[in-house]
Amino acid sequence: MFLAMDTVFDQCSIAILDSSGKVISNQTETGKRQQTQQILPMIDSALKGNQLRLADVQALIFNRGPGAFSGIRINTAVVQALSVAQDLPCVAISSLQAIAQSAYVQHGLTQVYSALDARMQQVYFGHYCLMDGIMQPAPVDAESMDAADTEQLLDYDSQTPLNLPIVGNGASLLKHYDGQLSYDDINPDAAIIGQLGIAQFVASGGTEAAQALPKYLRNQAWKTLKEQGKA
């Protein structure tokens, strides 16, 4: 069994999946105000509801960002603590990859730009395409299968390099080509995070707690706008 969690997408979402990726349990509470109080009781409830203990879990899968700083911090801290307590490997999944995977599952899209509102007049942005049922970072070029880490920050009203569908809540904040498709209503949950994590775990294994690190993209993300000199 695998335990997956997300507190980055303005929600608290917990899922248990088996090794084939089948969802055994999936619960999501929307809103971000109570995530700190919700996440551990939700994990405990999911495990007990399926007659499982944390020791029965093969790996812990979590959304490592980019996204809301507080949400990234919450599920990263929980994963690290549970990993140390039970000596469990961790698998970190990109929020942008989760958006792309949800677009494939919900709309059958096989190549997309993921865009997540980063506030401060920017979006978190990445390019993904389907490989063996998983949306992966797009290859560097058409003749190479070497994948690039495409995650970056783009300013509002930037135009994408290609006329591909843009998915995620930052889609409407970018400049569009004529006829370019846009899907703002993509809301990944822990089940999507879990399915991506299982594929990654099978391919390359997990990491220890000390290496289960968040990814913010924006430097000094923990500072207020005033402290960053932007207010």
Side-chain angles (χ1 to χ4, degrees):
M1 295 294 173
F2 293 81
L3 176 63
M5 64 193 75
D6 170 60
T7 57
V8 176
F9 292 116
D10 291 348
Q11 64 187 5
C12 190
S13 186
I14 303 297
I16 297 174
L17 306 92
D18 67 17
S19 57
S20 71
K22 179 182 177 181
V23 179
I24 305 302
S25 173
N26 189 19
Q27 181 182 0
T28 299
E29 298 289 341
T30 58
K32 58 185 178 181
R33 297 292 182 183
Q34 302 297 321
Q35 290 169 318
T36 304
Q37 291 77 30
Q38 289 172 329
I39 186 167
L40 289 176
M42 286 177 66
I43 290 172
D44 186 58
S45 176
L47 291 171
K48 288 182 177 178
N50 290 278
Q51 292 78 51
L52 295 171
R53 301 169 302 156
L54 193 57
D56 298 321
V57 172
Q58 189 171 3
L60 303 167
I61 304 168
F62 72 106
N63 185 345
R64 51 82 163 154
F69 171 73
S70 59
I72 296 172
R73 181 180 60 186
I74 290 167
N75 66 187
T76 301
V78 169
V79 161
Q80 289 175 335
L82 297 180
S83 173
V84 170
Q86 293 290 334
D87 193 25
L88 295 173
C90 306
V91 182
I93 295 300
S94 163
S95 58
L96 296 174
Q97 184 185 18
I99 292 170
Q101 186 71 16
S102 291
Y104 166 61
V105 171
Q106 294 177 28
H107 300 290
L109 302 176
T110 58
Q111 186 170 191
V112 300
Y113 293 118
S114 288
L116 179 63
D117 189 4
R119 314 300 180 184
M120 303 184 197
Q121 301 297 305
Q122 291 182 312
V123 299
Y124 301 115
F125 180 84
H127 181 190
Y128 296 87
C129 60
L130 191 69
M131 300 179 187
D132 298 325
I134 299 294
M135 295 293 271
Q136 301 282 10
V140 174
D141 57 62
E143 297 180 356
S144 171
M145 291 307 293
D146 293 331
D149 183 356
T150 65
E151 295 179 347
Q152 58 184 293
L153 280 163
L154 285 186
D155 293 334
Y156 285 1
D157 294 323
S158 296
Q159 190 166 50
T160 58
L162 302 173
N163 187 350
L164 297 174
I166 312 174
V167 298
N169 71 2
S172 62
L173 303 172
L174 297 175
K175 183 178 180 181
H176 288 61
Y177 296 97
D178 289 342
Q180 188 169 15
L181 297 176
S182 179
Y183 297 83
D184 295 75
D185 59 339
I186 303 293
N187 299 299
D189 59 12
I192 289 290
I193 301 291
Q195 289 163 351
L196 289 171
I198 291 170
Q200 183 171 310
F201 184 80
V202 170
S204 57
T207 63
E208 59 183 17
Q211 300 302 315
L213 301 175
K215 186 165 185 178
Y216 299 113
L217 283 188
R218 177 178 284 135
N219 293 332
Q220 301 179 330
W222 61 91
K223 292 187 177 181
T224 66
L225 287 175
K226 184 176 181 180
E227 288 172 330
Q228 294 180 52
K230 297 182 179 180

